[in-house]
Amino acid sequence: MTQVTPPSSPTLRREWLIIALLVLSVLINYVDRSNLAIAAPLLQPQLGFSSLQMGALLSAFSWTYALFQIFGISGYLADRFPVGYVFLFGYLIWSVATLATGLLSGFTAIFAARLMLGAGESIAYPCYSRVFAQVPQHHRGRANSFIDAGSKLGPSLGALIGGALMVHFGWRALFFVLGAGGLLWVIPWLAVMPRERVVLAADQPAASTSELLSLRSAWGTFLGHFCGNYFFYFLMAWLPTYLVKEARLPVLTMSRMVSGAFFLLAISTVLTGWFSDHLIARGLTPTRVRKSIVAIGLLFASMLGFIAFVPGTSRAALIILFVATIGFGGYTSNHWAISQTLAGPSMAGRWTGMQNGIANLSGIIGPWLAGAIIQRSGSLRIAFLITGIVAFCGALCWAFVVGKVEPVRWSSQDAPL
């Protein structure tokens, strides 16, 4: 089997700096995509937006984020050009979009800024996966869990910082500080970023998209990830509003509760990522370990639906929330490792790009649907129930639709070079 030729080996110190900056970038990525939800309790009444309009704004990001990946634009860029430059370009776009949001007041203008944010952030995961597809199997869980922990610490820190900024300076300061502060990341990235293109040995041809779409396991990862993302986007978009309006918490207390929930999620991700690698290093198969952790994690996450049956002000609602987020952390530690193993280095960018694109359609549907529900009923209870059901369906997809977790032998690998 033709192997991927790795890029020129940098110094160990540079490698660790690149990894650290990638983890920091995903943290900033998720701070920026969650900031509108944090600002919503103050922004919505000040600008006079309805719950339906707010739901549309919260889902706007996912239109460009999902479609750029579904149509292969982001994956193609990650596979075709030097990853360091592709990532830098996308990062600058999303940081400027965050900064600009603080200057805007109209529905259409903010919607356009969120579309711009989604376009910039769409390159992130194809770039991460292009790198991590070459990480050894017994390290891949940890490598992905660090990135995924950053994605959960982002909303956690965003809630803490956002709550403090809004209480003292208003919601616009949140976007100014995060957008301008995030641009500082560019300075160290320019110094150490990988400038070479990762290429296949002897210019091996990659598999076709139609071949990818013919695989049952591919659709299992697409649909399973969609269901998992539905859970995450619902929490990120509407949990702050739920805690303020239905749990009747002050804004500062709300920000701490949201931060705590996502912090628990991040800790769960890191611990289960380490545990999965430990089990594989001891001889258990990736199929048994990674599929079990992913499916069981989403089963626990589906408990979120029980919030529909308890009062929002009760302690039971908070316990259910925290148990569900811990379970979701187990899921997120391993789902990317499954896809990267199946795809292999030659298809990692396109497989994960298309998977992430389809999965992020849930970021369009989930926030908008919840907004429509609260507009009609005045409560998020039904939205919590739907989210729990969707998470349960995701567990079934990962357990029974995805096959063995081992590299696909693409037809292009049998072609003469």
Side-chain angles (χ1 to χ4, degrees), residues 64-100:
T64 45
Y65 185 77
L67 295 178
F68 271 52
Q69 294 178 86
I70 290 173
F71 289 111
I73 298 170
S74 302
Y76 172 79
L77 293 173
D79 285 342
R80 177 66 178 82
F81 300 102
V83 172
Y85 287 104
V86 173
F87 195 83
L88 175 63
F89 180 67
Y91 186 95
L92 288 172
I93 290 175
W94 94 55
S95 295
V96 170
T98 297
L99 186 61

PDB file of all heavy atoms in Angstrom, residues 64-100:
ATOM      1  N   THR A  64     -22.722  28.866   5.666  1.00  0.00           N
ATOM      2  CA  THR A  64     -21.457  28.850   4.927  1.00  0.00           C
ATOM      3  C   THR A  64     -20.506  27.802   5.480  1.00  0.00           C
ATOM      4  O   THR A  64     -19.779  27.142   4.732  1.00  0.00           O
ATOM      5  CB  THR A  64     -20.795  30.233   4.973  1.00  0.00           C
ATOM      6  OG1 THR A  64     -20.847  30.738   6.316  1.00  0.00           O
ATOM      7  CG2 THR A  64     -21.491  31.213   4.040  1.00  0.00           C
ATOM      8  N   TYR A  65     -20.514  27.622   6.791  1.00  0.00           N
ATOM      9  CA  TYR A  65     -19.623  26.637   7.417  1.00  0.00           C
ATOM     10  C   TYR A  65     -19.903  25.239   6.873  1.00  0.00           C
ATOM     11  O   TYR A  65     -18.979  24.487   6.544  1.00  0.00           O
ATOM     12  CB  TYR A  65     -19.825  26.670   8.933  1.00  0.00           C
ATOM     13  CG  TYR A  65     -18.874  25.792   9.705  1.00  0.00           C
ATOM     14  CD1 TYR A  65     -17.562  26.179   9.930  1.00  0.00           C
ATOM     15  CD2 TYR A  65     -19.301  24.572  10.230  1.00  0.00           C
ATOM     16  CE1 TYR A  65     -16.682  25.382  10.645  1.00  0.00           C
ATOM     17  CE2 TYR A  65     -18.430  23.765  10.952  1.00  0.00           C
ATOM     18  CZ  TYR A  65     -17.127  24.182  11.165  1.00  0.00           C
ATOM     19  OH  TYR A  65     -16.263  23.372  11.869  1.00  0.00           O
ATOM     20  N   ALA A  66     -21.174  24.892   6.768  1.00  0.00           N
ATOM     21  CA  ALA A  66     -21.543  23.562   6.278  1.00  0.00           C
ATOM     22  C   ALA A  66     -21.367  23.438   4.767  1.00  0.00           C
ATOM     23  O   ALA A  66     -20.760  22.479   4.286  1.00  0.00           O
ATOM     24  CB  ALA A  66     -22.994  23.257   6.667  1.00  0.00           C
ATOM     25  N   LEU A  67     -21.876  24.404   4.012  1.00  0.00           N
ATOM     26  CA  LEU A  67     -21.881  24.264   2.553  1.00  0.00           C
ATOM     27  C   LEU A  67     -20.481  24.302   1.955  1.00  0.00           C
ATOM     28  O   LEU A  67     -20.208  23.607   0.969  1.00  0.00           O
ATOM     29  CB  LEU A  67     -22.765  25.342   1.929  1.00  0.00           C
ATOM     30  CG  LEU A  67     -24.259  25.223   2.277  1.00  0.00           C
ATOM     31  CD1 LEU A  67     -25.045  26.367   1.664  1.00  0.00           C
ATOM     32  CD2 LEU A  67     -24.816  23.879   1.815  1.00  0.00           C
ATOM     33  N   PHE A  68     -19.574  25.096   2.527  1.00  0.00           N
ATOM     34  CA  PHE A  68     -18.197  25.114   2.031  1.00  0.00           C
ATOM     35  C   PHE A  68     -17.547  23.747   2.178  1.00  0.00           C
ATOM     36  O   PHE A  68     -16.653  23.393   1.396  1.00  0.00           O
ATOM     37  CB  PHE A  68     -17.378  26.168   2.782  1.00  0.00           C
ATOM     38  CG  PHE A  68     -17.416  27.530   2.158  1.00  0.00           C
ATOM     39  CD1 PHE A  68     -18.619  28.145   1.840  1.00  0.00           C
ATOM     40  CD2 PHE A  68     -16.242  28.214   1.882  1.00  0.00           C
ATOM     41  CE1 PHE A  68     -18.658  29.395   1.265  1.00  0.00           C
ATOM     42  CE2 PHE A  68     -16.268  29.478   1.305  1.00  0.00           C
ATOM     43  CZ  PHE A  68     -17.476  30.066   0.985  1.00  0.00           C
ATOM     44  N   GLN A  69     -17.990  22.972   3.175  1.00  0.00           N
ATOM     45  CA  GLN A  69     -17.405  21.646   3.368  1.00  0.00           C
ATOM     46  C   GLN A  69     -18.155  20.574   2.595  1.00  0.00           C
ATOM     47  O   GLN A  69     -17.552  19.661   2.029  1.00  0.00           O
ATOM     48  CB  GLN A  69     -17.372  21.326   4.869  1.00  0.00           C
ATOM     49  CG  GLN A  69     -16.417  22.247   5.617  1.00  0.00           C
ATOM     50  CD  GLN A  69     -16.377  21.999   7.101  1.00  0.00           C
ATOM     51  OE1 GLN A  69     -15.643  21.154   7.580  1.00  0.00           O
ATOM     52  NE2 GLN A  69     -17.198  22.746   7.837  1.00  0.00           N
ATOM     53  N   ILE A  70     -19.481  20.687   2.530  1.00  0.00           N
ATOM     54  CA  ILE A  70     -20.253  19.709   1.767  1.00  0.00           C
ATOM     55  C   ILE A  70     -19.849  19.709   0.295  1.00  0.00           C
ATOM     56  O   ILE A  70     -19.703  18.650  -0.338  1.00  0.00           O
ATOM     57  CB  ILE A  70     -21.764  19.991   1.892  1.00  0.00           C
ATOM     58  CG1 ILE A  70     -22.246  19.663   3.309  1.00  0.00           C
ATOM     59  CG2 ILE A  70     -22.563  19.177   0.865  1.00  0.00           C
ATOM     60  CD1 ILE A  70     -23.676  20.059   3.565  1.00  0.00           C
ATOM     61  N   PHE A  71     -19.638  20.889  -0.269  1.00  0.00           N
ATOM     62  CA  PHE A  71     -19.248  20.983  -1.682  1.00  0.00           C
ATOM     63  C   PHE A  71     -17.746  20.819  -1.897  1.00  0.00           C
ATOM     64  O   PHE A  71     -17.249  21.007  -3.014  1.00  0.00           O
ATOM     65  CB  PHE A  71     -19.739  22.307  -2.266  1.00  0.00           C
ATOM     66  CG  PHE A  71     -21.230  22.366  -2.437  1.00  0.00           C
ATOM     67  CD1 PHE A  71     -22.000  23.204  -1.657  1.00  0.00           C
ATOM     68  CD2 PHE A  71     -21.869  21.547  -3.350  1.00  0.00           C
ATOM     69  CE1 PHE A  71     -23.387  23.254  -1.796  1.00  0.00           C
ATOM     70  CE2 PHE A  71     -23.248  21.576  -3.504  1.00  0.00           C
ATOM     71  CZ  PHE A  71     -24.009  22.429  -2.724  1.00  0.00           C
ATOM     72  N   GLY A  72     -17.034  20.471  -0.838  1.00  0.00           N
ATOM     73  CA  GLY A  72     -15.626  20.098  -0.969  1.00  0.00           C
ATOM     74  C   GLY A  72     -14.655  21.240  -1.082  1.00  0.00           C
ATOM     75  O   GLY A  72     -13.461  21.004  -1.316  1.00  0.00           O
ATOM     76  N   ILE A  73     -15.109  22.485  -0.932  1.00  0.00           N
ATOM     77  CA  ILE A  73     -14.211  23.628  -1.093  1.00  0.00           C
ATOM     78  C   ILE A  73     -13.135  23.622  -0.023  1.00  0.00           C
ATOM     79  O   ILE A  73     -11.929  23.723  -0.311  1.00  0.00           O
ATOM     80  CB  ILE A  73     -15.003  24.949  -1.059  1.00  0.00           C
ATOM     81  CG1 ILE A  73     -15.998  24.998  -2.216  1.00  0.00           C
ATOM     82  CG2 ILE A  73     -14.060  26.150  -1.107  1.00  0.00           C
ATOM     83  CD1 ILE A  73     -16.983  26.150  -2.141  1.00  0.00           C
ATOM     84  N   SER A  74     -13.535  23.486   1.236  1.00  0.00           N
ATOM     85  CA  SER A  74     -12.578  23.526   2.339  1.00  0.00           C
ATOM     86  C   SER A  74     -11.637  22.327   2.308  1.00  0.00           C
ATOM     87  O   SER A  74     -10.430  22.461   2.511  1.00  0.00           O
ATOM     88  CB  SER A  74     -13.324  23.578   3.676  1.00  0.00           C
ATOM     89  OG  SER A  74     -14.181  24.690   3.729  1.00  0.00           O
ATOM     90  N   GLY A  75     -12.200  21.128   2.050  1.00  0.00           N
ATOM     91  CA  GLY A  75     -11.365  19.937   1.978  1.00  0.00           C
ATOM     92  C   GLY A  75     -10.369  20.003   0.838  1.00  0.00           C
ATOM     93  O   GLY A  75      -9.212  19.593   0.976  1.00  0.00           O
ATOM     94  N   TYR A  76     -10.812  20.524  -0.310  1.00  0.00           N
ATOM     95  CA  TYR A  76      -9.911  20.661  -1.455  1.00  0.00           C
ATOM     96  C   TYR A  76      -8.748  21.586  -1.129  1.00  0.00           C
ATOM     97  O   TYR A  76      -7.583  21.285  -1.434  1.00  0.00           O
ATOM     98  CB  TYR A  76     -10.682  21.199  -2.658  1.00  0.00           C
ATOM     99  CG  TYR A  76      -9.792  21.555  -3.829  1.00  0.00           C
ATOM    100  CD1 TYR A  76      -9.299  20.566  -4.675  1.00  0.00           C
ATOM    101  CD2 TYR A  76      -9.419  22.874  -4.068  1.00  0.00           C
ATOM    102  CE1 TYR A  76      -8.466  20.892  -5.750  1.00  0.00           C
ATOM    103  CE2 TYR A  76      -8.590  23.213  -5.123  1.00  0.00           C
ATOM    104  CZ  TYR A  76      -8.113  22.210  -5.963  1.00  0.00           C
ATOM    105  OH  TYR A  76      -7.280  22.538  -7.002  1.00  0.00           O
ATOM    106  N   LEU A  77      -9.043  22.724  -0.503  1.00  0.00           N
ATOM    107  CA  LEU A  77      -7.977  23.666  -0.150  1.00  0.00           C
ATOM    108  C   LEU A  77      -6.980  23.035   0.808  1.00  0.00           C
ATOM    109  O   LEU A  77      -5.766  23.217   0.669  1.00  0.00           O
ATOM    110  CB  LEU A  77      -8.584  24.932   0.470  1.00  0.00           C
ATOM    111  CG  LEU A  77      -9.420  25.807  -0.463  1.00  0.00           C
ATOM    112  CD1 LEU A  77     -10.090  26.927   0.328  1.00  0.00           C
ATOM    113  CD2 LEU A  77      -8.565  26.388  -1.584  1.00  0.00           C
ATOM    114  N   ALA A  78      -7.500  22.275   1.802  1.00  0.00           N
ATOM    115  CA  ALA A  78      -6.612  21.639   2.776  1.00  0.00           C
ATOM    116  C   ALA A  78      -5.737  20.568   2.127  1.00  0.00           C
ATOM    117  O   ALA A  78      -4.572  20.399   2.497  1.00  0.00           O
ATOM    118  CB  ALA A  78      -7.435  21.036   3.908  1.00  0.00           C
ATOM    119  N   ASP A  79      -6.285  19.834   1.156  1.00  0.00           N
ATOM    120  CA  ASP A  79      -5.526  18.773   0.485  1.00  0.00           C
ATOM    121  C   ASP A  79      -4.579  19.314  -0.590  1.00  0.00           C
ATOM    122  O   ASP A  79      -3.543  18.713  -0.867  1.00  0.00           O
ATOM    123  CB  ASP A  79      -6.489  17.780  -0.175  1.00  0.00           C
ATOM    124  CG  ASP A  79      -7.160  16.857   0.832  1.00  0.00           C
ATOM    125  OD1 ASP A  79      -6.650  16.742   1.967  1.00  0.00           O
ATOM    126  OD2 ASP A  79      -8.207  16.270   0.492  1.00  0.00           O
ATOM    127  N   ARG A  80      -4.925  20.448  -1.195  1.00  0.00           N
ATOM    128  CA  ARG A  80      -4.216  20.915  -2.395  1.00  0.00           C
ATOM    129  C   ARG A  80      -3.100  21.907  -2.091  1.00  0.00           C
ATOM    130  O   ARG A  80      -2.068  21.909  -2.771  1.00  0.00           O
ATOM    131  CB  ARG A  80      -5.237  21.559  -3.354  1.00  0.00           C
ATOM    132  CG  ARG A  80      -4.632  22.149  -4.621  1.00  0.00           C
ATOM    133  CD  ARG A  80      -4.044  21.076  -5.506  1.00  0.00           C
ATOM    134  NE  ARG A  80      -3.504  21.632  -6.738  1.00  0.00           N
ATOM    135  CZ  ARG A  80      -2.306  22.192  -6.854  1.00  0.00           C
ATOM    136  NH1 ARG A  80      -1.512  22.280  -5.792  1.00  0.00           N
ATOM    137  NH2 ARG A  80      -1.895  22.658  -8.011  1.00  0.00           N
ATOM    138  N   PHE A  81      -3.260  22.745  -1.064  1.00  0.00           N
ATOM    139  CA  PHE A  81      -2.304  23.825  -0.806  1.00  0.00           C
ATOM    140  C   PHE A  81      -1.652  23.666   0.563  1.00  0.00           C
ATOM    141  O   PHE A  81      -2.135  22.902   1.404  1.00  0.00           O
ATOM    142  CB  PHE A  81      -3.013  25.181  -0.900  1.00  0.00           C
ATOM    143  CG  PHE A  81      -3.620  25.459  -2.239  1.00  0.00           C
ATOM    144  CD1 PHE A  81      -4.985  25.323  -2.453  1.00  0.00           C
ATOM    145  CD2 PHE A  81      -2.817  25.835  -3.312  1.00  0.00           C
ATOM    146  CE1 PHE A  81      -5.543  25.566  -3.697  1.00  0.00           C
ATOM    147  CE2 PHE A  81      -3.364  26.082  -4.566  1.00  0.00           C
ATOM    148  CZ  PHE A  81      -4.731  25.943  -4.758  1.00  0.00           C
ATOM    149  N   PRO A  82      -0.539  24.377   0.805  1.00  0.00           N
ATOM    150  CA  PRO A  82       0.114  24.296   2.122  1.00  0.00           C
ATOM    151  C   PRO A  82      -0.863  24.618   3.245  1.00  0.00           C
ATOM    152  O   PRO A  82      -1.495  25.673   3.260  1.00  0.00           O
ATOM    153  CB  PRO A  82       1.225  25.348   2.021  1.00  0.00           C
ATOM    154  CG  PRO A  82       1.538  25.432   0.560  1.00  0.00           C
ATOM    155  CD  PRO A  82       0.219  25.236  -0.129  1.00  0.00           C
ATOM    156  N   VAL A  83      -0.968  23.705   4.195  1.00  0.00           N
ATOM    157  CA  VAL A  83      -1.984  23.807   5.240  1.00  0.00           C
ATOM    158  C   VAL A  83      -1.812  25.071   6.073  1.00  0.00           C
ATOM    159  O   VAL A  83      -2.790  25.695   6.476  1.00  0.00           O
ATOM    160  CB  VAL A  83      -1.949  22.548   6.134  1.00  0.00           C
ATOM    161  CG1 VAL A  83      -2.852  22.706   7.349  1.00  0.00           C
ATOM    162  CG2 VAL A  83      -2.352  21.325   5.338  1.00  0.00           C
ATOM    163  N   GLY A  84      -0.563  25.459   6.330  1.00  0.00           N
ATOM    164  CA  GLY A  84      -0.320  26.638   7.153  1.00  0.00           C
ATOM    165  C   GLY A  84      -0.928  27.894   6.572  1.00  0.00           C
ATOM    166  O   GLY A  84      -1.557  28.691   7.288  1.00  0.00           O
ATOM    167  N   TYR A  85      -0.792  28.088   5.270  1.00  0.00           N
ATOM    168  CA  TYR A  85      -1.334  29.277   4.610  1.00  0.00           C
ATOM    169  C   TYR A  85      -2.862  29.210   4.507  1.00  0.00           C
ATOM    170  O   TYR A  85      -3.549  30.220   4.663  1.00  0.00           O
ATOM    171  CB  TYR A  85      -0.730  29.430   3.217  1.00  0.00           C
ATOM    172  CG  TYR A  85       0.707  29.883   3.232  1.00  0.00           C
ATOM    173  CD1 TYR A  85       1.736  28.990   2.973  1.00  0.00           C
ATOM    174  CD2 TYR A  85       1.037  31.208   3.525  1.00  0.00           C
ATOM    175  CE1 TYR A  85       3.062  29.394   2.984  1.00  0.00           C
ATOM    176  CE2 TYR A  85       2.362  31.629   3.541  1.00  0.00           C
ATOM    177  CZ  TYR A  85       3.368  30.723   3.274  1.00  0.00           C
ATOM    178  OH  TYR A  85       4.681  31.132   3.304  1.00  0.00           O
ATOM    179  N   VAL A  86      -3.394  28.021   4.205  1.00  0.00           N
ATOM    180  CA  VAL A  86      -4.848  27.861   4.120  1.00  0.00           C
ATOM    181  C   VAL A  86      -5.481  28.210   5.464  1.00  0.00           C
ATOM    182  O   VAL A  86      -6.474  28.938   5.548  1.00  0.00           O
ATOM    183  CB  VAL A  86      -5.215  26.421   3.709  1.00  0.00           C
ATOM    184  CG1 VAL A  86      -6.727  26.201   3.792  1.00  0.00           C
ATOM    185  CG2 VAL A  86      -4.724  26.130   2.297  1.00  0.00           C
ATOM    186  N   PHE A  87      -4.874  27.696   6.532  1.00  0.00           N
ATOM    187  CA  PHE A  87      -5.416  27.948   7.858  1.00  0.00           C
ATOM    188  C   PHE A  87      -5.324  29.428   8.225  1.00  0.00           C
ATOM    189  O   PHE A  87      -6.265  29.997   8.795  1.00  0.00           O
ATOM    190  CB  PHE A  87      -4.660  27.104   8.893  1.00  0.00           C
ATOM    191  CG  PHE A  87      -5.369  27.019  10.214  1.00  0.00           C
ATOM    192  CD1 PHE A  87      -6.387  26.099  10.416  1.00  0.00           C
ATOM    193  CD2 PHE A  87      -5.042  27.872  11.248  1.00  0.00           C
ATOM    194  CE1 PHE A  87      -7.061  26.029  11.624  1.00  0.00           C
ATOM    195  CE2 PHE A  87      -5.709  27.812  12.462  1.00  0.00           C
ATOM    196  CZ  PHE A  87      -6.720  26.883  12.644  1.00  0.00           C
ATOM    197  N   LEU A  88      -4.214  30.070   7.908  1.00  0.00           N
ATOM    198  CA  LEU A  88      -4.038  31.492   8.194  1.00  0.00           C
ATOM    199  C   LEU A  88      -5.105  32.326   7.491  1.00  0.00           C
ATOM    200  O   LEU A  88      -5.693  33.244   8.086  1.00  0.00           O
ATOM    201  CB  LEU A  88      -2.649  31.944   7.742  1.00  0.00           C
ATOM    202  CG  LEU A  88      -2.351  33.447   7.859  1.00  0.00           C
ATOM    203  CD1 LEU A  88      -2.398  33.896   9.312  1.00  0.00           C
ATOM    204  CD2 LEU A  88      -0.997  33.770   7.223  1.00  0.00           C
ATOM    205  N   PHE A  89      -5.370  32.025   6.234  1.00  0.00           N
ATOM    206  CA  PHE A  89      -6.359  32.774   5.459  1.00  0.00           C
ATOM    207  C   PHE A  89      -7.742  32.685   6.107  1.00  0.00           C
ATOM    208  O   PHE A  89      -8.435  33.688   6.300  1.00  0.00           O
ATOM    209  CB  PHE A  89      -6.390  32.231   4.032  1.00  0.00           C
ATOM    210  CG  PHE A  89      -7.368  32.921   3.130  1.00  0.00           C
ATOM    211  CD1 PHE A  89      -7.189  34.241   2.763  1.00  0.00           C
ATOM    212  CD2 PHE A  89      -8.479  32.238   2.643  1.00  0.00           C
ATOM    213  CE1 PHE A  89      -8.103  34.884   1.924  1.00  0.00           C
ATOM    214  CE2 PHE A  89      -9.387  32.858   1.809  1.00  0.00           C
ATOM    215  CZ  PHE A  89      -9.200  34.185   1.455  1.00  0.00           C
ATOM    216  N   GLY A  90      -8.144  31.466   6.457  1.00  0.00           N
ATOM    217  CA  GLY A  90      -9.444  31.289   7.087  1.00  0.00           C
ATOM    218  C   GLY A  90      -9.517  31.967   8.445  1.00  0.00           C
ATOM    219  O   GLY A  90     -10.538  32.571   8.803  1.00  0.00           O
ATOM    220  N   TYR A  91      -8.437  31.884   9.206  1.00  0.00           N
ATOM    221  CA  TYR A  91      -8.407  32.489  10.542  1.00  0.00           C
ATOM    222  C   TYR A  91      -8.608  34.004  10.470  1.00  0.00           C
ATOM    223  O   TYR A  91      -9.348  34.587  11.271  1.00  0.00           O
ATOM    224  CB  TYR A  91      -7.078  32.163  11.228  1.00  0.00           C
ATOM    225  CG  TYR A  91      -7.008  32.624  12.665  1.00  0.00           C
ATOM    226  CD1 TYR A  91      -7.316  31.759  13.699  1.00  0.00           C
ATOM    227  CD2 TYR A  91      -6.654  33.931  12.989  1.00  0.00           C
ATOM    228  CE1 TYR A  91      -7.276  32.189  15.021  1.00  0.00           C
ATOM    229  CE2 TYR A  91      -6.615  34.368  14.303  1.00  0.00           C
ATOM    230  CZ  TYR A  91      -6.919  33.482  15.316  1.00  0.00           C
ATOM    231  OH  TYR A  91      -6.883  33.913  16.615  1.00  0.00           O
ATOM    232  N   LEU A  92      -7.945  34.651   9.527  1.00  0.00           N
ATOM    233  CA  LEU A  92      -8.082  36.101   9.380  1.00  0.00           C
ATOM    234  C   LEU A  92      -9.518  36.486   9.021  1.00  0.00           C
ATOM    235  O   LEU A  92     -10.058  37.473   9.537  1.00  0.00           O
ATOM    236  CB  LEU A  92      -7.117  36.611   8.307  1.00  0.00           C
ATOM    237  CG  LEU A  92      -5.633  36.611   8.695  1.00  0.00           C
ATOM    238  CD1 LEU A  92      -4.772  36.944   7.480  1.00  0.00           C
ATOM    239  CD2 LEU A  92      -5.364  37.604   9.825  1.00  0.00           C
ATOM    240  N   ILE A  93     -10.148  35.698   8.160  1.00  0.00           N
ATOM    241  CA  ILE A  93     -11.534  35.990   7.773  1.00  0.00           C
ATOM    242  C   ILE A  93     -12.453  35.925   8.986  1.00  0.00           C
ATOM    243  O   ILE A  93     -13.273  36.822   9.221  1.00  0.00           O
ATOM    244  CB  ILE A  93     -12.005  35.020   6.676  1.00  0.00           C
ATOM    245  CG1 ILE A  93     -11.283  35.304   5.357  1.00  0.00           C
ATOM    246  CG2 ILE A  93     -13.528  35.113   6.478  1.00  0.00           C
ATOM    247  CD1 ILE A  93     -11.593  34.313   4.254  1.00  0.00           C
ATOM    248  N   TRP A  94     -12.327  34.861   9.783  1.00  0.00           N
ATOM    249  CA  TRP A  94     -13.279  34.727  10.890  1.00  0.00           C
ATOM    250  C   TRP A  94     -13.011  35.736  12.009  1.00  0.00           C
ATOM    251  O   TRP A  94     -13.939  36.187  12.674  1.00  0.00           O
ATOM    252  CB  TRP A  94     -13.357  33.287  11.371  1.00  0.00           C
ATOM    253  CG  TRP A  94     -12.509  32.814  12.512  1.00  0.00           C
ATOM    254  CD1 TRP A  94     -12.438  33.343  13.771  1.00  0.00           C
ATOM    255  CD2 TRP A  94     -11.661  31.647  12.530  1.00  0.00           C
ATOM    256  NE1 TRP A  94     -11.599  32.582  14.557  1.00  0.00           N
ATOM    257  CE2 TRP A  94     -11.116  31.544  13.824  1.00  0.00           C
ATOM    258  CE3 TRP A  94     -11.334  30.680  11.586  1.00  0.00           C
ATOM    259  CZ2 TRP A  94     -10.244  30.511  14.194  1.00  0.00           C
ATOM    260  CZ3 TRP A  94     -10.467  29.660  11.959  1.00  0.00           C
ATOM    261  CH2 TRP A  94      -9.923  29.586  13.241  1.00  0.00           C
ATOM    262  N   SER A  95     -11.754  36.148  12.201  1.00  0.00           N
ATOM    263  CA  SER A  95     -11.455  37.140  13.245  1.00  0.00           C
ATOM    264  C   SER A  95     -12.001  38.520  12.871  1.00  0.00           C
ATOM    265  O   SER A  95     -12.538  39.243  13.718  1.00  0.00           O
ATOM    266  CB  SER A  95      -9.943  37.221  13.473  1.00  0.00           C
ATOM    267  OG  SER A  95      -9.448  36.007  13.999  1.00  0.00           O
ATOM    268  N   VAL A  96     -11.860  38.886  11.596  1.00  0.00           N
ATOM    269  CA  VAL A  96     -12.395  40.173  11.136  1.00  0.00           C
ATOM    270  C   VAL A  96     -13.921  40.173  11.237  1.00  0.00           C
ATOM    271  O   VAL A  96     -14.531  41.191  11.609  1.00  0.00           O
ATOM    272  CB  VAL A  96     -11.932  40.452   9.694  1.00  0.00           C
ATOM    273  CG1 VAL A  96     -12.666  41.656   9.111  1.00  0.00           C
ATOM    274  CG2 VAL A  96     -10.421  40.690   9.665  1.00  0.00           C
ATOM    275  N   ALA A  97     -14.563  39.036  10.928  1.00  0.00           N
ATOM    276  CA  ALA A  97     -16.019  38.942  11.032  1.00  0.00           C
ATOM    277  C   ALA A  97     -16.477  39.129  12.480  1.00  0.00           C
ATOM    278  O   ALA A  97     -17.490  39.803  12.742  1.00  0.00           O
ATOM    279  CB  ALA A  97     -16.496  37.588  10.503  1.00  0.00           C
ATOM    280  N   THR A  98     -15.742  38.562  13.419  1.00  0.00           N
ATOM    281  CA  THR A  98     -16.078  38.734  14.841  1.00  0.00           C
ATOM    282  C   THR A  98     -15.974  40.200  15.244  1.00  0.00           C
ATOM    283  O   THR A  98     -16.881  40.752  15.883  1.00  0.00           O
ATOM    284  CB  THR A  98     -15.135  37.889  15.716  1.00  0.00           C
ATOM    285  OG1 THR A  98     -15.325  36.506  15.407  1.00  0.00           O
ATOM    286  CG2 THR A  98     -15.410  38.114  17.199  1.00  0.00           C
ATOM    287  N   LEU A  99     -14.884  40.837  14.877  1.00  0.00           N
ATOM    288  CA  LEU A  99     -14.674  42.239  15.215  1.00  0.00           C
ATOM    289  C   LEU A  99     -15.770  43.114  14.607  1.00  0.00           C
ATOM    290  O   LEU A  99     -16.303  44.024  15.261  1.00  0.00           O
ATOM    291  CB  LEU A  99     -13.294  42.677  14.713  1.00  0.00           C
ATOM    292  CG  LEU A  99     -12.800  44.072  15.087  1.00  0.00           C
ATOM    293  CD1 LEU A  99     -12.698  44.230  16.595  1.00  0.00           C
ATOM    294  CD2 LEU A  99     -11.443  44.322  14.440  1.00  0.00           C
ATOM    295  N   ALA A 100     -16.140  42.844  13.362  1.00  0.00           N
ATOM    296  CA  ALA A 100     -17.127  43.663  12.668  1.00  0.00           C
ATOM    297  C   ALA A 100     -18.508  43.559  13.299  1.00  0.00           C
ATOM    298  O   ALA A 100     -19.281  44.531  13.285  1.00  0.00           O
ATOM    299  CB  ALA A 100     -17.209  43.243  11.197  1.00  0.00           C
TER     300      ALA A 100
END
